[in-house]
Amino acid sequence: MTAPSTPRRPVTVRVFAQRLSATPRGARLARRLALRQLETWGIPHGVDASDAVGLVVAELAANAVTHGRVPGRDFELRLSLVTGSVRIEVTDARSGPLPPGPRDVRSPQDLAEHGRGLLLVDALASRWEVLDRSPSPGKTVRAEIDLPPGHRSPAPLEAADGTAP
């Protein structure tokens, strides 16, 4: 005799996290993985939200590799599909002064070859902040990109027999 089954709620995957090598290759991979995850969540390549997330991930990952690299330590990319937006978090292991936050980003000199990454994040993100990593050492840059009204959440996962896990 089997016990009556308890109805299970559908499971919706809303978080993606990946540790990547603190190298230029790791930074490129972060962007590609982010865009693939957005497609999984129903945010197709080429729409404004996908393009913005791709650019923000690319800039934050490049900063983690360039300014936050600690030999032998990875950086982490975390994406979360939250109500109405995609949250991006890039965490590195370098301690020390935090990079400028949303109100402190300054334009570089006209001919400077670097220094525009956080300006792009500031322009594209609906909200962003810089946080000390917990547990230390390191820091996290968190940005959110708002989704257009009416975006639907991802479909629930189903088990092989067609039931919700």
PDB file of all heavy atoms in Angstrom, residues 58-98:
ATOM      1  N   ALA A  58      29.800  41.872 -18.836  1.00  0.00           N
ATOM      2  CA  ALA A  58      31.121  41.994 -19.458  1.00  0.00           C
ATOM      3  C   ALA A  58      31.990  43.015 -18.725  1.00  0.00           C
ATOM      4  O   ALA A  58      33.172  42.760 -18.461  1.00  0.00           O
ATOM      5  CB  ALA A  58      30.968  42.377 -20.928  1.00  0.00           C
ATOM      6  N   GLU A  59      31.414  44.161 -18.400  1.00  0.00           N
ATOM      7  CA  GLU A  59      32.194  45.205 -17.713  1.00  0.00           C
ATOM      8  C   GLU A  59      32.593  44.781 -16.303  1.00  0.00           C
ATOM      9  O   GLU A  59      33.735  44.973 -15.886  1.00  0.00           O
ATOM     10  CB  GLU A  59      31.408  46.515 -17.669  1.00  0.00           C
ATOM     11  CG  GLU A  59      31.272  47.191 -19.001  1.00  0.00           C
ATOM     12  CD  GLU A  59      32.609  47.524 -19.651  1.00  0.00           C
ATOM     13  OE1 GLU A  59      33.601  47.764 -18.925  1.00  0.00           O
ATOM     14  OE2 GLU A  59      32.665  47.539 -20.886  1.00  0.00           O
ATOM     15  N   LEU A  60      31.636  44.218 -15.555  1.00  0.00           N
ATOM     16  CA  LEU A  60      31.947  43.829 -14.173  1.00  0.00           C
ATOM     17  C   LEU A  60      32.932  42.664 -14.129  1.00  0.00           C
ATOM     18  O   LEU A  60      33.820  42.632 -13.269  1.00  0.00           O
ATOM     19  CB  LEU A  60      30.663  43.500 -13.417  1.00  0.00           C
ATOM     20  CG  LEU A  60      29.690  44.664 -13.231  1.00  0.00           C
ATOM     21  CD1 LEU A  60      28.471  44.207 -12.426  1.00  0.00           C
ATOM     22  CD2 LEU A  60      30.366  45.863 -12.575  1.00  0.00           C
ATOM     23  N   ALA A  61      32.802  41.720 -15.057  1.00  0.00           N
ATOM     24  CA  ALA A  61      33.749  40.605 -15.108  1.00  0.00           C
ATOM     25  C   ALA A  61      35.137  41.100 -15.505  1.00  0.00           C
ATOM     26  O   ALA A  61      36.147  40.676 -14.926  1.00  0.00           O
ATOM     27  CB  ALA A  61      33.249  39.536 -16.077  1.00  0.00           C
ATOM     28  N   ALA A  62      35.200  42.011 -16.467  1.00  0.00           N
ATOM     29  CA  ALA A  62      36.506  42.576 -16.860  1.00  0.00           C
ATOM     30  C   ALA A  62      37.143  43.316 -15.688  1.00  0.00           C
ATOM     31  O   ALA A  62      38.358  43.212 -15.474  1.00  0.00           O
ATOM     32  CB  ALA A  62      36.328  43.501 -18.062  1.00  0.00           C
ATOM     33  N   ASN A  63      36.337  44.047 -14.927  1.00  0.00           N
ATOM     34  CA  ASN A  63      36.870  44.736 -13.754  1.00  0.00           C
ATOM     35  C   ASN A  63      37.360  43.746 -12.705  1.00  0.00           C
ATOM     36  O   ASN A  63      38.399  43.969 -12.068  1.00  0.00           O
ATOM     37  CB  ASN A  63      35.826  45.667 -13.142  1.00  0.00           C
ATOM     38  CG  ASN A  63      35.652  46.932 -13.939  1.00  0.00           C
ATOM     39  OD1 ASN A  63      36.398  47.216 -14.859  1.00  0.00           O
ATOM     40  ND2 ASN A  63      34.627  47.695 -13.588  1.00  0.00           N
ATOM     41  N   ALA A  64      36.627  42.654 -12.503  1.00  0.00           N
ATOM     42  CA  ALA A  64      37.052  41.641 -11.525  1.00  0.00           C
ATOM     43  C   ALA A  64      38.389  41.039 -11.928  1.00  0.00           C
ATOM     44  O   ALA A  64      39.251  40.788 -11.079  1.00  0.00           O
ATOM     45  CB  ALA A  64      35.988  40.547 -11.403  1.00  0.00           C
ATOM     46  N   VAL A  65      38.585  40.836 -13.219  1.00  0.00           N
ATOM     47  CA  VAL A  65      39.833  40.260 -13.725  1.00  0.00           C
ATOM     48  C   VAL A  65      40.972  41.281 -13.692  1.00  0.00           C
ATOM     49  O   VAL A  65      42.094  40.961 -13.321  1.00  0.00           O
ATOM     50  CB  VAL A  65      39.608  39.721 -15.161  1.00  0.00           C
ATOM     51  CG1 VAL A  65      40.917  39.388 -15.845  1.00  0.00           C
ATOM     52  CG2 VAL A  65      38.678  38.522 -15.127  1.00  0.00           C
ATOM     53  N   THR A  66      40.674  42.507 -14.042  1.00  0.00           N
ATOM     54  CA  THR A  66      41.712  43.541 -14.142  1.00  0.00           C
ATOM     55  C   THR A  66      42.075  44.138 -12.791  1.00  0.00           C
ATOM     56  O   THR A  66      43.252  44.294 -12.466  1.00  0.00           O
ATOM     57  CB  THR A  66      41.241  44.678 -15.075  1.00  0.00           C
ATOM     58  OG1 THR A  66      40.906  44.113 -16.340  1.00  0.00           O
ATOM     59  CG2 THR A  66      42.320  45.725 -15.255  1.00  0.00           C
ATOM     60  N   HIS A  67      41.070  44.476 -11.993  1.00  0.00           N
ATOM     61  CA  HIS A  67      41.316  45.197 -10.743  1.00  0.00           C
ATOM     62  C   HIS A  67      41.122  44.349  -9.493  1.00  0.00           C
ATOM     63  O   HIS A  67      41.591  44.736  -8.426  1.00  0.00           O
ATOM     64  CB  HIS A  67      40.391  46.418 -10.649  1.00  0.00           C
ATOM     65  CG  HIS A  67      40.477  47.318 -11.830  1.00  0.00           C
ATOM     66  ND1 HIS A  67      41.604  48.055 -12.124  1.00  0.00           N
ATOM     67  CD2 HIS A  67      39.580  47.596 -12.803  1.00  0.00           C
ATOM     68  CE1 HIS A  67      41.389  48.748 -13.237  1.00  0.00           C
ATOM     69  NE2 HIS A  67      40.177  48.492 -13.665  1.00  0.00           N
ATOM     70  N   GLY A  68      40.410  43.239  -9.593  1.00  0.00           N
ATOM     71  CA  GLY A  68      40.104  42.442  -8.413  1.00  0.00           C
ATOM     72  C   GLY A  68      40.795  41.107  -8.362  1.00  0.00           C
ATOM     73  O   GLY A  68      40.535  40.288  -7.486  1.00  0.00           O
ATOM     74  N   ARG A  69      41.711  40.877  -9.283  1.00  0.00           N
ATOM     75  CA  ARG A  69      42.368  39.575  -9.365  1.00  0.00           C
ATOM     76  C   ARG A  69      43.339  39.354  -8.215  1.00  0.00           C
ATOM     77  O   ARG A  69      44.149  40.220  -7.899  1.00  0.00           O
ATOM     78  CB  ARG A  69      43.125  39.458 -10.686  1.00  0.00           C
ATOM     79  CG  ARG A  69      43.763  38.110 -10.880  1.00  0.00           C
ATOM     80  CD  ARG A  69      44.402  38.013 -12.266  1.00  0.00           C
ATOM     81  NE  ARG A  69      44.954  36.700 -12.476  1.00  0.00           N
ATOM     82  CZ  ARG A  69      46.157  36.312 -12.048  1.00  0.00           C
ATOM     83  NH1 ARG A  69      46.930  37.166 -11.414  1.00  0.00           N
ATOM     84  NH2 ARG A  69      46.584  35.094 -12.269  1.00  0.00           N
ATOM     85  N   VAL A  70      43.214  38.180  -7.614  1.00  0.00           N
ATOM     86  CA  VAL A  70      44.174  37.704  -6.625  1.00  0.00           C
ATOM     87  C   VAL A  70      44.691  36.389  -7.179  1.00  0.00           C
ATOM     88  O   VAL A  70      43.881  35.503  -7.494  1.00  0.00           O
ATOM     89  CB  VAL A  70      43.512  37.491  -5.244  1.00  0.00           C
ATOM     90  CG1 VAL A  70      44.472  36.837  -4.281  1.00  0.00           C
ATOM     91  CG2 VAL A  70      42.987  38.810  -4.695  1.00  0.00           C
ATOM     92  N   PRO A  71      46.016  36.231  -7.359  1.00  0.00           N
ATOM     93  CA  PRO A  71      46.533  34.994  -7.942  1.00  0.00           C
ATOM     94  C   PRO A  71      45.992  33.764  -7.225  1.00  0.00           C
ATOM     95  O   PRO A  71      45.954  33.695  -5.998  1.00  0.00           O
ATOM     96  CB  PRO A  71      48.053  35.126  -7.765  1.00  0.00           C
ATOM     97  CG  PRO A  71      48.285  36.607  -7.739  1.00  0.00           C
ATOM     98  CD  PRO A  71      47.082  37.183  -7.032  1.00  0.00           C
ATOM     99  N   GLY A  72      45.519  32.821  -8.028  1.00  0.00           N
ATOM    100  CA  GLY A  72      44.990  31.575  -7.485  1.00  0.00           C
ATOM    101  C   GLY A  72      43.543  31.649  -7.025  1.00  0.00           C
ATOM    102  O   GLY A  72      42.996  30.650  -6.556  1.00  0.00           O
ATOM    103  N   ARG A  73      42.897  32.795  -7.140  1.00  0.00           N
ATOM    104  CA  ARG A  73      41.508  32.954  -6.690  1.00  0.00           C
ATOM    105  C   ARG A  73      40.617  33.266  -7.881  1.00  0.00           C
ATOM    106  O   ARG A  73      40.984  34.012  -8.778  1.00  0.00           O
ATOM    107  CB  ARG A  73      41.387  34.098  -5.667  1.00  0.00           C
ATOM    108  CG  ARG A  73      42.237  33.939  -4.416  1.00  0.00           C
ATOM    109  CD  ARG A  73      41.747  32.854  -3.474  1.00  0.00           C
ATOM    110  NE  ARG A  73      40.397  33.026  -3.007  1.00  0.00           N
ATOM    111  CZ  ARG A  73      40.047  33.639  -1.894  1.00  0.00           C
ATOM    112  NH1 ARG A  73      40.974  34.172  -1.121  1.00  0.00           N
ATOM    113  NH2 ARG A  73      38.791  33.726  -1.548  1.00  0.00           N
ATOM    114  N   ASP A  74      39.421  32.700  -7.873  1.00  0.00           N
ATOM    115  CA  ASP A  74      38.439  32.917  -8.936  1.00  0.00           C
ATOM    116  C   ASP A  74      37.574  34.125  -8.621  1.00  0.00           C
ATOM    117  O   ASP A  74      37.658  34.695  -7.537  1.00  0.00           O
ATOM    118  CB  ASP A  74      37.511  31.694  -9.048  1.00  0.00           C
ATOM    119  CG  ASP A  74      38.251  30.434  -9.448  1.00  0.00           C
ATOM    120  OD1 ASP A  74      39.310  30.533 -10.091  1.00  0.00           O
ATOM    121  OD2 ASP A  74      37.758  29.338  -9.122  1.00  0.00           O
ATOM    122  N   PHE A  75      36.724  34.494  -9.568  1.00  0.00           N
ATOM    123  CA  PHE A  75      35.654  35.441  -9.293  1.00  0.00           C
ATOM    124  C   PHE A  75      34.339  34.709  -9.510  1.00  0.00           C
ATOM    125  O   PHE A  75      34.309  33.637 -10.119  1.00  0.00           O
ATOM    126  CB  PHE A  75      35.772  36.720 -10.141  1.00  0.00           C
ATOM    127  CG  PHE A  75      35.399  36.571 -11.593  1.00  0.00           C
ATOM    128  CD1 PHE A  75      34.113  36.853 -12.027  1.00  0.00           C
ATOM    129  CD2 PHE A  75      36.341  36.175 -12.533  1.00  0.00           C
ATOM    130  CE1 PHE A  75      33.767  36.733 -13.367  1.00  0.00           C
ATOM    131  CE2 PHE A  75      36.010  36.050 -13.868  1.00  0.00           C
ATOM    132  CZ  PHE A  75      34.720  36.328 -14.287  1.00  0.00           C
ATOM    133  N   GLU A  76      33.277  35.240  -8.962  1.00  0.00           N
ATOM    134  CA  GLU A  76      31.972  34.579  -9.078  1.00  0.00           C
ATOM    135  C   GLU A  76      30.977  35.483  -9.787  1.00  0.00           C
ATOM    136  O   GLU A  76      30.893  36.676  -9.497  1.00  0.00           O
ATOM    137  CB  GLU A  76      31.408  34.218  -7.704  1.00  0.00           C
ATOM    138  CG  GLU A  76      30.061  33.489  -7.814  1.00  0.00           C
ATOM    139  CD  GLU A  76      29.461  33.121  -6.482  1.00  0.00           C
ATOM    140  OE1 GLU A  76      29.020  34.031  -5.765  1.00  0.00           O
ATOM    141  OE2 GLU A  76      29.439  31.921  -6.171  1.00  0.00           O
ATOM    142  N   LEU A  77      30.235  34.882 -10.697  1.00  0.00           N
ATOM    143  CA  LEU A  77      29.111  35.528 -11.355  1.00  0.00           C
ATOM    144  C   LEU A  77      27.841  34.909 -10.794  1.00  0.00           C
ATOM    145  O   LEU A  77      27.725  33.680 -10.720  1.00  0.00           O
ATOM    146  CB  LEU A  77      29.157  35.287 -12.871  1.00  0.00           C
ATOM    147  CG  LEU A  77      27.891  35.661 -13.644  1.00  0.00           C
ATOM    148  CD1 LEU A  77      27.643  37.162 -13.615  1.00  0.00           C
ATOM    149  CD2 LEU A  77      27.986  35.146 -15.081  1.00  0.00           C
ATOM    150  N   ARG A  78      26.919  35.748 -10.373  1.00  0.00           N
ATOM    151  CA  ARG A  78      25.623  35.276  -9.876  1.00  0.00           C
ATOM    152  C   ARG A  78      24.536  36.114 -10.553  1.00  0.00           C
ATOM    153  O   ARG A  78      24.589  37.336 -10.539  1.00  0.00           O
ATOM    154  CB  ARG A  78      25.524  35.418  -8.368  1.00  0.00           C
ATOM    155  CG  ARG A  78      24.189  34.959  -7.790  1.00  0.00           C
ATOM    156  CD  ARG A  78      24.178  35.076  -6.273  1.00  0.00           C
ATOM    157  NE  ARG A  78      25.109  34.148  -5.670  1.00  0.00           N
ATOM    158  CZ  ARG A  78      24.806  32.898  -5.307  1.00  0.00           C
ATOM    159  NH1 ARG A  78      23.595  32.447  -5.476  1.00  0.00           N
ATOM    160  NH2 ARG A  78      25.716  32.126  -4.771  1.00  0.00           N
ATOM    161  N   LEU A  79      23.580  35.428 -11.158  1.00  0.00           N
ATOM    162  CA  LEU A  79      22.417  36.074 -11.759  1.00  0.00           C
ATOM    163  C   LEU A  79      21.185  35.594 -11.023  1.00  0.00           C
ATOM    164  O   LEU A  79      21.069  34.409 -10.707  1.00  0.00           O
ATOM    165  CB  LEU A  79      22.270  35.694 -13.237  1.00  0.00           C
ATOM    166  CG  LEU A  79      23.419  36.019 -14.162  1.00  0.00           C
ATOM    167  CD1 LEU A  79      23.143  35.443 -15.543  1.00  0.00           C
ATOM    168  CD2 LEU A  79      23.628  37.510 -14.244  1.00  0.00           C
ATOM    169  N   SER A  80      20.271  36.496 -10.765  1.00  0.00           N
ATOM    170  CA  SER A  80      19.005  36.137 -10.118  1.00  0.00           C
ATOM    171  C   SER A  80      17.879  36.789 -10.900  1.00  0.00           C
ATOM    172  O   SER A  80      17.959  37.972 -11.252  1.00  0.00           O
ATOM    173  CB  SER A  80      18.956  36.644  -8.678  1.00  0.00           C
ATOM    174  OG  SER A  80      20.057  36.176  -7.947  1.00  0.00           O
ATOM    175  N   LEU A  81      16.856  36.001 -11.164  1.00  0.00           N
ATOM    176  CA  LEU A  81      15.649  36.546 -11.775  1.00  0.00           C
ATOM    177  C   LEU A  81      14.720  36.891 -10.627  1.00  0.00           C
ATOM    178  O   LEU A  81      14.191  36.011  -9.954  1.00  0.00           O
ATOM    179  CB  LEU A  81      15.014  35.516 -12.706  1.00  0.00           C
ATOM    180  CG  LEU A  81      13.820  35.984 -13.517  1.00  0.00           C
ATOM    181  CD1 LEU A  81      14.192  37.153 -14.416  1.00  0.00           C
ATOM    182  CD2 LEU A  81      13.292  34.833 -14.362  1.00  0.00           C
ATOM    183  N   VAL A  82      14.622  38.169 -10.342  1.00  0.00           N
ATOM    184  CA  VAL A  82      13.767  38.642  -9.248  1.00  0.00           C
ATOM    185  C   VAL A  82      12.561  39.330  -9.871  1.00  0.00           C
ATOM    186  O   VAL A  82      12.542  39.601 -11.065  1.00  0.00           O
ATOM    187  CB  VAL A  82      14.540  39.584  -8.291  1.00  0.00           C
ATOM    188  CG1 VAL A  82      15.674  38.842  -7.603  1.00  0.00           C
ATOM    189  CG2 VAL A  82      15.088  40.793  -9.009  1.00  0.00           C
ATOM    190  N   THR A  83      11.565  39.613  -9.089  1.00  0.00           N
ATOM    191  CA  THR A  83      10.348  40.209  -9.621  1.00  0.00           C
ATOM    192  C   THR A  83      10.661  41.485 -10.389  1.00  0.00           C
ATOM    193  O   THR A  83      11.137  42.459  -9.830  1.00  0.00           O
ATOM    194  CB  THR A  83       9.355  40.508  -8.485  1.00  0.00           C
ATOM    195  OG1 THR A  83       9.104  39.301  -7.780  1.00  0.00           O
ATOM    196  CG2 THR A  83       8.056  41.065  -9.041  1.00  0.00           C
ATOM    197  N   GLY A  84      10.448  41.440 -11.695  1.00  0.00           N
ATOM    198  CA  GLY A  84      10.598  42.624 -12.521  1.00  0.00           C
ATOM    199  C   GLY A  84      12.002  42.977 -12.966  1.00  0.00           C
ATOM    200  O   GLY A  84      12.184  43.962 -13.678  1.00  0.00           O
ATOM    201  N   SER A  85      13.023  42.203 -12.577  1.00  0.00           N
ATOM    202  CA  SER A  85      14.381  42.558 -12.990  1.00  0.00           C
ATOM    203  C   SER A  85      15.323  41.359 -12.938  1.00  0.00           C
ATOM    204  O   SER A  85      15.001  40.310 -12.375  1.00  0.00           O
ATOM    205  CB  SER A  85      14.936  43.692 -12.121  1.00  0.00           C
ATOM    206  OG  SER A  85      15.105  43.273 -10.796  1.00  0.00           O
ATOM    207  N   VAL A  86      16.488  41.549 -13.532  1.00  0.00           N
ATOM    208  CA  VAL A  86      17.582  40.585 -13.443  1.00  0.00           C
ATOM    209  C   VAL A  86      18.654  41.218 -12.568  1.00  0.00           C
ATOM    210  O   VAL A  86      19.086  42.347 -12.821  1.00  0.00           O
ATOM    211  CB  VAL A  86      18.175  40.266 -14.834  1.00  0.00           C
ATOM    212  CG1 VAL A  86      19.399  39.362 -14.703  1.00  0.00           C
ATOM    213  CG2 VAL A  86      17.132  39.642 -15.737  1.00  0.00           C
ATOM    214  N   ARG A  87      19.054  40.506 -11.517  1.00  0.00           N
ATOM    215  CA  ARG A  87      20.118  40.987 -10.625  1.00  0.00           C
ATOM    216  C   ARG A  87      21.425  40.311 -11.034  1.00  0.00           C
ATOM    217  O   ARG A  87      21.474  39.099 -11.195  1.00  0.00           O
ATOM    218  CB  ARG A  87      19.798  40.660  -9.176  1.00  0.00           C
ATOM    219  CG  ARG A  87      20.880  41.124  -8.210  1.00  0.00           C
ATOM    220  CD  ARG A  87      20.522  40.862  -6.774  1.00  0.00           C
ATOM    221  NE  ARG A  87      19.334  41.649  -6.446  1.00  0.00           N
ATOM    222  CZ  ARG A  87      18.383  41.237  -5.609  1.00  0.00           C
ATOM    223  NH1 ARG A  87      18.479  40.059  -5.016  1.00  0.00           N
ATOM    224  NH2 ARG A  87      17.350  42.007  -5.348  1.00  0.00           N
ATOM    225  N   ILE A  88      22.448  41.113 -11.164  1.00  0.00           N
ATOM    226  CA  ILE A  88      23.784  40.650 -11.531  1.00  0.00           C
ATOM    227  C   ILE A  88      24.696  40.928 -10.344  1.00  0.00           C
ATOM    228  O   ILE A  88      24.709  42.042  -9.826  1.00  0.00           O
ATOM    229  CB  ILE A  88      24.318  41.429 -12.750  1.00  0.00           C
ATOM    230  CG1 ILE A  88      23.360  41.308 -13.928  1.00  0.00           C
ATOM    231  CG2 ILE A  88      25.736  40.998 -13.107  1.00  0.00           C
ATOM    232  CD1 ILE A  88      23.454  42.467 -14.896  1.00  0.00           C
ATOM    233  N   GLU A  89      25.456  39.921  -9.932  1.00  0.00           N
ATOM    234  CA  GLU A  89      26.446  40.109  -8.874  1.00  0.00           C
ATOM    235  C   GLU A  89      27.762  39.512  -9.342  1.00  0.00           C
ATOM    236  O   GLU A  89      27.796  38.352  -9.754  1.00  0.00           O
ATOM    237  CB  GLU A  89      26.001  39.441  -7.582  1.00  0.00           C
ATOM    238  CG  GLU A  89      24.755  40.061  -6.991  1.00  0.00           C
ATOM    239  CD  GLU A  89      24.243  39.309  -5.775  1.00  0.00           C
ATOM    240  OE1 GLU A  89      23.999  38.093  -5.894  1.00  0.00           O
ATOM    241  OE2 GLU A  89      24.106  39.946  -4.727  1.00  0.00           O
ATOM    242  N   VAL A  90      28.818  40.313  -9.290  1.00  0.00           N
ATOM    243  CA  VAL A  90      30.152  39.829  -9.593  1.00  0.00           C
ATOM    244  C   VAL A  90      30.999  40.069  -8.355  1.00  0.00           C
ATOM    245  O   VAL A  90      31.105  41.198  -7.872  1.00  0.00           O
ATOM    246  CB  VAL A  90      30.747  40.530 -10.840  1.00  0.00           C
ATOM    247  CG1 VAL A  90      32.188  40.099 -11.054  1.00  0.00           C
ATOM    248  CG2 VAL A  90      29.904  40.218 -12.071  1.00  0.00           C
ATOM    249  N   THR A  91      31.581  38.985  -7.851  1.00  0.00           N
ATOM    250  CA  THR A  91      32.345  39.033  -6.606  1.00  0.00           C
ATOM    251  C   THR A  91      33.784  38.623  -6.886  1.00  0.00           C
ATOM    252  O   THR A  91      34.031  37.622  -7.553  1.00  0.00           O
ATOM    253  CB  THR A  91      31.722  38.082  -5.563  1.00  0.00           C
ATOM    254  OG1 THR A  91      30.370  38.466  -5.340  1.00  0.00           O
ATOM    255  CG2 THR A  91      32.486  38.116  -4.254  1.00  0.00           C
ATOM    256  N   ASP A  92      34.736  39.403  -6.379  1.00  0.00           N
ATOM    257  CA  ASP A  92      36.148  39.041  -6.498  1.00  0.00           C
ATOM    258  C   ASP A  92      36.752  38.944  -5.105  1.00  0.00           C
ATOM    259  O   ASP A  92      36.074  39.190  -4.109  1.00  0.00           O
ATOM    260  CB  ASP A  92      36.908  40.027  -7.394  1.00  0.00           C
ATOM    261  CG  ASP A  92      36.978  41.436  -6.832  1.00  0.00           C
ATOM    262  OD1 ASP A  92      37.331  41.608  -5.648  1.00  0.00           O
ATOM    263  OD2 ASP A  92      36.689  42.383  -7.585  1.00  0.00           O
ATOM    264  N   ALA A  93      38.017  38.567  -5.035  1.00  0.00           N
ATOM    265  CA  ALA A  93      38.660  38.298  -3.746  1.00  0.00           C
ATOM    266  C   ALA A  93      39.617  39.389  -3.290  1.00  0.00           C
ATOM    267  O   ALA A  93      40.270  39.240  -2.265  1.00  0.00           O
ATOM    268  CB  ALA A  93      39.407  36.963  -3.828  1.00  0.00           C
ATOM    269  N   ARG A  94      39.731  40.504  -4.016  1.00  0.00           N
ATOM    270  CA  ARG A  94      40.686  41.535  -3.640  1.00  0.00           C
ATOM    271  C   ARG A  94      40.110  42.449  -2.566  1.00  0.00           C
ATOM    272  O   ARG A  94      39.024  42.987  -2.714  1.00  0.00           O
ATOM    273  CB  ARG A  94      41.098  42.376  -4.838  1.00  0.00           C
ATOM    274  CG  ARG A  94      42.086  43.466  -4.416  1.00  0.00           C
ATOM    275  CD  ARG A  94      42.913  43.985  -5.535  1.00  0.00           C
ATOM    276  NE  ARG A  94      43.635  42.952  -6.226  1.00  0.00           N
ATOM    277  CZ  ARG A  94      44.950  42.794  -6.144  1.00  0.00           C
ATOM    278  NH1 ARG A  94      45.668  43.563  -5.391  1.00  0.00           N
ATOM    279  NH2 ARG A  94      45.532  41.853  -6.843  1.00  0.00           N
ATOM    280  N   SER A  95      40.880  42.644  -1.514  1.00  0.00           N
ATOM    281  CA  SER A  95      40.511  43.595  -0.462  1.00  0.00           C
ATOM    282  C   SER A  95      41.085  44.956  -0.798  1.00  0.00           C
ATOM    283  O   SER A  95      41.815  45.107  -1.764  1.00  0.00           O
ATOM    284  CB  SER A  95      41.058  43.128   0.884  1.00  0.00           C
ATOM    285  OG  SER A  95      40.402  41.953   1.277  1.00  0.00           O
ATOM    286  N   GLY A  96      40.780  45.904   0.029  1.00  0.00           N
ATOM    287  CA  GLY A  96      41.307  47.249  -0.183  1.00  0.00           C
ATOM    288  C   GLY A  96      40.177  48.209  -0.450  1.00  0.00           C
ATOM    289  O   GLY A  96      39.004  47.890  -0.245  1.00  0.00           O
ATOM    290  N   PRO A  97      40.516  49.379  -0.945  1.00  0.00           N
ATOM    291  CA  PRO A  97      39.480  50.374  -1.185  1.00  0.00           C
ATOM    292  C   PRO A  97      38.474  49.863  -2.212  1.00  0.00           C
ATOM    293  O   PRO A  97      38.832  49.217  -3.190  1.00  0.00           O
ATOM    294  CB  PRO A  97      40.237  51.582  -1.724  1.00  0.00           C
ATOM    295  CG  PRO A  97      41.675  51.245  -1.711  1.00  0.00           C
ATOM    296  CD  PRO A  97      41.843  49.826  -1.313  1.00  0.00           C
ATOM    297  N   LEU A  98      37.209  50.150  -1.969  1.00  0.00           N
ATOM    298  CA  LEU A  98      36.154  49.758  -2.900  1.00  0.00           C
ATOM    299  C   LEU A  98      36.179  50.682  -4.114  1.00  0.00           C
ATOM    300  O   LEU A  98      36.567  51.849  -4.010  1.00  0.00           O
ATOM    301  CB  LEU A  98      34.786  49.845  -2.226  1.00  0.00           C
ATOM    302  CG  LEU A  98      34.536  48.878  -1.073  1.00  0.00           C
ATOM    303  CD1 LEU A  98      33.159  49.136  -0.466  1.00  0.00           C
ATOM    304  CD2 LEU A  98      34.663  47.438  -1.514  1.00  0.00           C
TER     305      LEU A  98
END
